[in-house]
Amino acid sequence: MARADTQTGGRNATAAIIPGDRCISVGKPLRDAANGWSWQKLTDLARLESGHTPSRKVPEYWGGDVPWIGTRDATGNHGREIFDTAERTNDLGIANSSARICPAGTICLSRTASVGYVVKMGRPMATSQDFVNWVCGDALNPDFLKYALLSETRALRMFAVGSVHPTIYFPEVKAFHLCAPSRAEQDRIVSVLQPLDDKIELNRRMNETLEAMARAIFKDWFVDFGPTLSKIEGRTPYLSSEIWALFPSKFDENELPEGWSSGTLIDIADLNSEVWGAKHHPEAIDYVDLSNTKWGTIEPATNLTWEEAPSRARRVLKSGDTIVGTVRPGNGSFAYVGADGLTGSTGFAVLRPKQIAFREATWCAATSASNIERLTHLADGGAYPAVRPELVGATEISLPSSAVMTQFSESCRPLIQRVEENKRESETLAITRDLLLPKLMSGNIHIREAEIMVAAAA
């Protein structure tokens, strides 16, 4: 059994009772547990830990071999096991702060500001003070705890206090109770849910590789002018003879491949070309906002009637469009649109390629890391730093011959199509998981029944 005393110090657990929706509660709730399940104090099952931020005034405390989980790591990896972080500290930073290194398998919950994000440590790590962390004992499967927290997102935010900077304080965390079955039953529940998340994670990693391949080709052809430079230097061709022949063998006076020109995305794509109007709109829309579009992925759209839709739900999106968020561009609200039928926020700049062959180049140029960084630096405004859509359209791009542009499209199209197929599969798997999660975590479905549903979705 885990140590019952916490490792956080401070005030004692509250005596209040704030029930969650199913398996997490502040205090022991009055409702009965499902057959074979019981309510237990979470600190009897797992050691409670917190985190800390080594002083940022001491550069020597930062950089090193200790991953340090901050809010951005959690919001960008909600529900996932993570193995690295945006920032790292070191033994000196740990020794001179209240931060502690927790073992692999520790479950972390963001408790302040962005409340309710859950990650699992894939290796020994530390966290900021914005987290509470549980090191599970033998009686608690860490992934069962992760799924319990994931199933209680609404309640976790309800446990937080404060409108400007909502926080779940330690007296409430120390009073957390968990409703759980035996360890063997926990393992069976995890064995139903985990394969769904494993496949979603596999698809995500595959998509990272596929996108990197497309971006590498774009950089070589459109930015570094690799084929032309190789011809000038007499190097061995690294493309097929048909493609190799499309590239010129010298640069012009502007240091572009001969016959190419300098342009912007407006030369190959229309900007914000189609919007819904007061007299021309559907009765219902699938709405895409900046908040559910992150780093190339559009989370499931929100279905709304036209009357329910916010006034910013106006941009018509079609397959092949590229969308780039104009508010806080550094937040990564960009994506390739893989299907018709979506409506985007006016916070997006929507680029609709003028030809099908321009789709992939438009996406690569608009969403490259260097262009997102450029837009981030150009954003102005106090509370909501933003850029005008025209600045997205003004993204510079080298314009090759139509034959090279067509060949680039044909080379990258299968990669992008596979990415979109993986996204659709992951959406189906996530829907199945989210359907099962509350039922499994409340003991309201037989595991065999859940296994049949998973098999049908796989």
Side-chain angles (χ1 to χ4, degrees), residues 135-369:
V135 182
C136 295
D138 294 339
L140 180 59
N141 184 319
D143 288 300
F144 182 87
L145 176 58
K146 179 190 74 175
Y147 286 120
L149 294 167
L150 290 173
S151 75
E152 291 278 16
T153 299
R154 189 205 69 83
L156 291 170
R157 290 171 182 163
M158 178 184 70
F159 297 159
V161 176
S163 56
V164 177
H165 203 68
T167 299
I168 307 177
Y169 290 99
F170 276 99
E172 282 70 39
V173 173
K174 290 176 180 176
F176 270 19
H177 279 61
L178 172 69
C179 191
S182 67
R183 172 63 192 249
E185 194 72 359
Q186 294 173 33
D187 295 345
R188 290 189 66 195
I189 290 172
V190 170
S191 72
V192 172
L193 294 169
Q194 193 63 56
L196 296 169
D197 280 331
D198 288 346
K199 178 57 177 168
I200 291 171
E201 178 65 10
L202 178 63
N203 284 345
R204 187 187 67 82
R205 293 181 181 179
M206 188 186 303
N207 283 356
E208 284 185 350
T209 301
L210 293 168
E211 290 184 5
M213 292 169 64
R215 293 187 188 282
I217 297 172
F218 179 82
K219 184 173 183 296
D220 183 52
W221 292 16
F222 288 75
V223 179
D224 297 336
F225 312 128
T228 296
L229 188 61
S230 293
K231 286 186 176 184
I232 293 172
E233 295 177 349
R235 284 185 266 159
T236 303
Y238 55 84
L239 301 171
S240 69
S241 57
E242 293 80 9
I243 299 176
W244 196 250
L246 300 177
F247 289 88
S249 56
K250 60 182 180 181
F251 291 116
D252 64 17
E253 64 277 10
N254 297 315
E255 300 183 344
L256 289 172
E258 188 175 50
W260 290 33
S261 61
S262 297
T264 68
L265 285 177
I266 292 302
D267 293 314
I268 61 172
D270 295 319
L271 178 65
N272 296 337
S273 59
E274 189 174 4
V275 296
W276 299 124
K279 296 182 179 179
H280 171 62
H281 59 77
E283 294 302 316
I285 62 170
D286 288 326
Y287 177 55
V288 177
D289 205 348
L290 273 67
S291 62
N292 64 349
T293 304
K294 294 298 178 188
W295 305 107
T297 297
I298 300 174
E299 301 295 340
T302 305
N303 185 262
L304 300 168
T305 65
W306 184 255
E307 287 72 23
E308 294 172 332
S311 60
R312 61 183 181 277
R314 291 293 182 272
R315 303 254 192 261
V316 179
L317 307 182
K318 291 186 175 178
S319 178
D321 289 351
T322 290
I323 55 177
V324 179
T326 57
V327 180
R328 294 195 177 99
N331 285 351
S333 297
F334 61 77
Y336 181 87
V337 179
D340 292 340
L342 299 175
T343 295
S345 164
T346 51
F348 288 115
V350 181
L351 294 159
R352 180 161 299 164
K354 296 178 179 178
Q355 298 180 24
I356 291 177
F358 297 165
R359 288 179 171 181
E360 292 77 16
T362 299
W363 170 75
C364 284
T367 64
S368 69

